[in-house]
Amino acid sequence: MGSVAFGEAINEDSGSEKSLKEVSDEEPSIVNTSFITPSANTHHSSDPGFTDSFHDTGSNQPHHKKSDAAQRILFVTTEITDFVKVGGLGDVSSALPRALAAHHDVRVLIPAYREMIHSEYEIVPAGHVPAFAGLPACDIGRITCSDGLILYVLLCPELYDREGTPYGSGASGYGDGQGEGWVDNDIRFARLSRAAADIALGQADLDWQPQLLHLNDWACGLAPAYLHWQGHPVPTVFTIHNLAYQGLFNASRMAVLGVPEDAFHIDGVEYYGELSFMKAGINYASQVTTVSATYAQEITTPKFGCGLDGLLRCKAEQGRLSGIPNGIDDSWDPRTDSHLVQAFSCNDWRGKRANADYARRFFGLNPSQGPLFAVISRLVHQKGLDLTIEAAKAIVHGGGQIVFMGCGERHVEDALRQLSERFPGAISAYIGFDEYQARSLFAGSDFLLMPSRFEPCGLSQMYAQRFGSLPIAHRTGGLADTIEDGVTGFLFDDMQFESYMRAIQRAFAVYKSTDLFNAMRGAAMAGRYHWKQSIVPYSKLYRVALEQLGNETTLACQ
């Protein structure tokens, strides 16, 4: 590559220097992709909570308690950070039900993995679901978390009590690209979907029945399909966290999964000759959501639609596709986070320097006055690690250091190990994940490198900003929605090395301008992408789903 000048214009990509702007206080709303174009600040609020947005009809007083009319929501997932986490879905499943529980009766359904069976929590017998097609019968247990969140766990040891991740034994956690997904994943997650449908129909012997199912990603995709095939109009919301993972299985598996033959067509579950759990969820759910406004628009295009863009465009035209951003919870506060070696706040940078010194020591870097760059990510093609590896030499030669943390595709892991050996003391590769050290790295780093090829939402950029680390990211999906270029981070438009390097050059230039650097860090820390912002749009969406099926029940929170 050519030589790099680390002092170029701060906003070269935009063509002019951009001044810091006030953070928008606009209340988030459901984004219907058929007519709304999102802006970078659509969901950005400086208010950490949105409780004042909830009012009783005709009243000016905030609604602080769950009404008798609060909806009963079953949140169905394959991960929850309390017990087992592979990616962002685990964080979402832990935080979003808790945020919604302030105004709704939200309970979680999840397989009883080994981590749950051997946890400190008691599993109380709660119900039973019968066998169906080739899916075994199983019991349902109940776990009550310390804060009161209720989990229904699907007790089926032959399917879920095994060493590994929810999806397989691969290093990335997803069992993808290496043939290491569990061979019975179709049975495992069809069993989860069918259990959700049985619970919704009151056929699981529970003392509680939801009014609506909120289903997450391909593994839950058969749930609305099972309800449809039985002719039961139970409202369902299906959230796409990453369209690239679709749950594709051989069509010969339809009978054992209880999928009727007449559903195997273009308007059903058929996807290029295979059975797609993801397509089933999109086709049969009352409402489809994804986790950022920009990604909701992107997936209606051939570039990002993974072969489902036509179906998703149809859903958008019907007003059934929305983008609601993820958020972060209160634990991500540098003033109180117990993971940090020293607390800090905006304009109190001594604590941040202490965390930087700790991170350098822990990850084996030399003492340095230069910027510290972090990569905290799954090590897969989607995340653009190839571009960062290519940029590493220029970063080091410019006086920077890099810490990589994550696991994933073996060839990426090997490339990072080789990179750290090539630049000892300047580059460190930590293959694996450690929550404690990850938080310390967010707190100690100056910049987060996140050149994702696509990013449905992304949480790392939110964590980084909250801890005063400025993200350098591709302008796509949730990254475009949560990073304000030149204000709270740096965005580049083309997924090309030269465009990425220009963003990195801008970051170096800002780092050398102490006042501007501190102003940007302060702006990033002031931005609050909190889960509480999601209560209003999800509540509205639940109401829409209920009304679509003729349910006259109204939401407690208008």
PDB file of all heavy atoms in Angstrom, residues 107-118:
ATOM      1  N   ARG A 107     -42.323 -12.851  30.024  1.00  0.00           N
ATOM      2  CA  ARG A 107     -41.603 -14.033  30.478  1.00  0.00           C
ATOM      3  C   ARG A 107     -40.804 -14.599  29.304  1.00  0.00           C
ATOM      4  O   ARG A 107     -41.153 -14.375  28.152  1.00  0.00           O
ATOM      5  CB  ARG A 107     -42.565 -15.067  31.060  1.00  0.00           C
ATOM      6  CG  ARG A 107     -43.440 -14.444  32.157  1.00  0.00           C
ATOM      7  CD  ARG A 107     -44.316 -15.436  32.862  1.00  0.00           C
ATOM      8  NE  ARG A 107     -45.196 -14.761  33.818  1.00  0.00           N
ATOM      9  CZ  ARG A 107     -45.956 -15.362  34.708  1.00  0.00           C
ATOM     10  NH1 ARG A 107     -45.965 -16.711  34.777  1.00  0.00           N
ATOM     11  NH2 ARG A 107     -46.721 -14.676  35.530  1.00  0.00           N
ATOM     12  N   VAL A 108     -39.749 -15.302  29.619  1.00  0.00           N
ATOM     13  CA  VAL A 108     -38.815 -15.779  28.602  1.00  0.00           C
ATOM     14  C   VAL A 108     -38.918 -17.298  28.481  1.00  0.00           C
ATOM     15  O   VAL A 108     -39.001 -18.002  29.489  1.00  0.00           O
ATOM     16  CB  VAL A 108     -37.372 -15.374  28.968  1.00  0.00           C
ATOM     17  CG1 VAL A 108     -36.372 -15.969  27.974  1.00  0.00           C
ATOM     18  CG2 VAL A 108     -37.227 -13.849  29.015  1.00  0.00           C
ATOM     19  N   LEU A 109     -38.906 -17.800  27.257  1.00  0.00           N
ATOM     20  CA  LEU A 109     -38.817 -19.242  26.999  1.00  0.00           C
ATOM     21  C   LEU A 109     -37.474 -19.520  26.330  1.00  0.00           C
ATOM     22  O   LEU A 109     -37.122 -18.883  25.329  1.00  0.00           O
ATOM     23  CB  LEU A 109     -39.948 -19.711  26.084  1.00  0.00           C
ATOM     24  CG  LEU A 109     -39.886 -21.191  25.652  1.00  0.00           C
ATOM     25  CD1 LEU A 109     -40.097 -22.110  26.855  1.00  0.00           C
ATOM     26  CD2 LEU A 109     -40.912 -21.486  24.558  1.00  0.00           C
ATOM     27  N   ILE A 110     -36.733 -20.492  26.872  1.00  0.00           N
ATOM     28  CA  ILE A 110     -35.410 -20.811  26.364  1.00  0.00           C
ATOM     29  C   ILE A 110     -35.114 -22.284  26.658  1.00  0.00           C
ATOM     30  O   ILE A 110     -35.617 -22.833  27.649  1.00  0.00           O
ATOM     31  CB  ILE A 110     -34.347 -19.894  27.023  1.00  0.00           C
ATOM     32  CG1 ILE A 110     -32.962 -20.083  26.381  1.00  0.00           C
ATOM     33  CG2 ILE A 110     -34.292 -20.097  28.528  1.00  0.00           C
ATOM     34  CD1 ILE A 110     -31.949 -19.031  26.812  1.00  0.00           C
ATOM     35  N   PRO A 111     -34.363 -22.961  25.824  1.00  0.00           N
ATOM     36  CA  PRO A 111     -33.983 -24.343  26.145  1.00  0.00           C
ATOM     37  C   PRO A 111     -33.199 -24.415  27.457  1.00  0.00           C
ATOM     38  O   PRO A 111     -32.462 -23.492  27.812  1.00  0.00           O
ATOM     39  CB  PRO A 111     -33.104 -24.743  24.959  1.00  0.00           C
ATOM     40  CG  PRO A 111     -33.545 -23.873  23.830  1.00  0.00           C
ATOM     41  CD  PRO A 111     -33.882 -22.565  24.469  1.00  0.00           C
ATOM     42  N   ALA A 112     -33.345 -25.521  28.160  1.00  0.00           N
ATOM     43  CA  ALA A 112     -32.608 -25.736  29.414  1.00  0.00           C
ATOM     44  C   ALA A 112     -31.231 -26.302  29.085  1.00  0.00           C
ATOM     45  O   ALA A 112     -31.008 -27.505  29.099  1.00  0.00           O
ATOM     46  CB  ALA A 112     -33.381 -26.671  30.335  1.00  0.00           C
ATOM     47  N   TYR A 113     -30.301 -25.398  28.796  1.00  0.00           N
ATOM     48  CA  TYR A 113     -28.940 -25.820  28.510  1.00  0.00           C
ATOM     49  C   TYR A 113     -28.253 -26.289  29.786  1.00  0.00           C
ATOM     50  O   TYR A 113     -28.729 -26.070  30.907  1.00  0.00           O
ATOM     51  CB  TYR A 113     -28.148 -24.663  27.906  1.00  0.00           C
ATOM     52  CG  TYR A 113     -28.747 -24.073  26.659  1.00  0.00           C
ATOM     53  CD1 TYR A 113     -29.185 -22.751  26.634  1.00  0.00           C
ATOM     54  CD2 TYR A 113     -28.875 -24.830  25.494  1.00  0.00           C
ATOM     55  CE1 TYR A 113     -29.721 -22.189  25.483  1.00  0.00           C
ATOM     56  CE2 TYR A 113     -29.414 -24.277  24.342  1.00  0.00           C
ATOM     57  CZ  TYR A 113     -29.842 -22.957  24.342  1.00  0.00           C
ATOM     58  OH  TYR A 113     -30.380 -22.410  23.206  1.00  0.00           O
ATOM     59  N   ARG A 114     -27.105 -26.910  29.609  1.00  0.00           N
ATOM     60  CA  ARG A 114     -26.343 -27.424  30.753  1.00  0.00           C
ATOM     61  C   ARG A 114     -26.045 -26.317  31.763  1.00  0.00           C
ATOM     62  O   ARG A 114     -26.099 -26.539  32.976  1.00  0.00           O
ATOM     63  CB  ARG A 114     -25.043 -28.046  30.250  1.00  0.00           C
ATOM     64  CG  ARG A 114     -24.147 -28.586  31.338  1.00  0.00           C
ATOM     65  CD  ARG A 114     -23.052 -29.475  30.768  1.00  0.00           C
ATOM     66  NE  ARG A 114     -23.609 -30.668  30.141  1.00  0.00           N
ATOM     67  CZ  ARG A 114     -22.874 -31.626  29.572  1.00  0.00           C
ATOM     68  NH1 ARG A 114     -21.550 -31.507  29.538  1.00  0.00           N
ATOM     69  NH2 ARG A 114     -23.440 -32.690  29.041  1.00  0.00           N
ATOM     70  N   GLU A 115     -25.748 -25.109  31.264  1.00  0.00           N
ATOM     71  CA  GLU A 115     -25.433 -24.002  32.161  1.00  0.00           C
ATOM     72  C   GLU A 115     -26.598 -23.668  33.087  1.00  0.00           C
ATOM     73  O   GLU A 115     -26.389 -23.211  34.217  1.00  0.00           O
ATOM     74  CB  GLU A 115     -25.064 -22.756  31.348  1.00  0.00           C
ATOM     75  CG  GLU A 115     -23.773 -22.884  30.559  1.00  0.00           C
ATOM     76  CD  GLU A 115     -23.964 -23.525  29.186  1.00  0.00           C
ATOM     77  OE1 GLU A 115     -25.050 -24.106  28.932  1.00  0.00           O
ATOM     78  OE2 GLU A 115     -23.020 -23.459  28.382  1.00  0.00           O
ATOM     79  N   MET A 116     -27.808 -23.875  32.639  1.00  0.00           N
ATOM     80  CA  MET A 116     -28.985 -23.606  33.469  1.00  0.00           C
ATOM     81  C   MET A 116     -29.226 -24.734  34.466  1.00  0.00           C
ATOM     82  O   MET A 116     -29.522 -24.485  35.634  1.00  0.00           O
ATOM     83  CB  MET A 116     -30.213 -23.401  32.580  1.00  0.00           C
ATOM     84  CG  MET A 116     -30.101 -22.179  31.698  1.00  0.00           C
ATOM     85  SD  MET A 116     -31.485 -22.051  30.570  1.00  0.00           S
ATOM     86  CE  MET A 116     -31.222 -20.380  29.981  1.00  0.00           C
ATOM     87  N   ILE A 117     -29.083 -25.945  33.979  1.00  0.00           N
ATOM     88  CA  ILE A 117     -29.328 -27.092  34.846  1.00  0.00           C
ATOM     89  C   ILE A 117     -28.375 -27.092  36.037  1.00  0.00           C
ATOM     90  O   ILE A 117     -28.753 -27.461  37.161  1.00  0.00           O
ATOM     91  CB  ILE A 117     -29.186 -28.403  34.039  1.00  0.00           C
ATOM     92  CG1 ILE A 117     -30.299 -28.477  32.973  1.00  0.00           C
ATOM     93  CG2 ILE A 117     -29.251 -29.622  34.951  1.00  0.00           C
ATOM     94  CD1 ILE A 117     -30.137 -29.630  32.011  1.00  0.00           C
ATOM     95  N   HIS A 118     -27.140 -26.626  35.821  1.00  0.00           N
ATOM     96  CA  HIS A 118     -26.139 -26.650  36.874  1.00  0.00           C
ATOM     97  C   HIS A 118     -25.942 -25.285  37.535  1.00  0.00           C
ATOM     98  O   HIS A 118     -24.967 -25.079  38.255  1.00  0.00           O
ATOM     99  CB  HIS A 118     -24.803 -27.152  36.315  1.00  0.00           C
ATOM    100  CG  HIS A 118     -24.861 -28.565  35.802  1.00  0.00           C
ATOM    101  ND1 HIS A 118     -25.043 -29.645  36.635  1.00  0.00           N
ATOM    102  CD2 HIS A 118     -24.797 -29.062  34.544  1.00  0.00           C
ATOM    103  CE1 HIS A 118     -25.070 -30.760  35.911  1.00  0.00           C
ATOM    104  NE2 HIS A 118     -24.929 -30.426  34.637  1.00  0.00           N
TER     105      HIS A 118
END
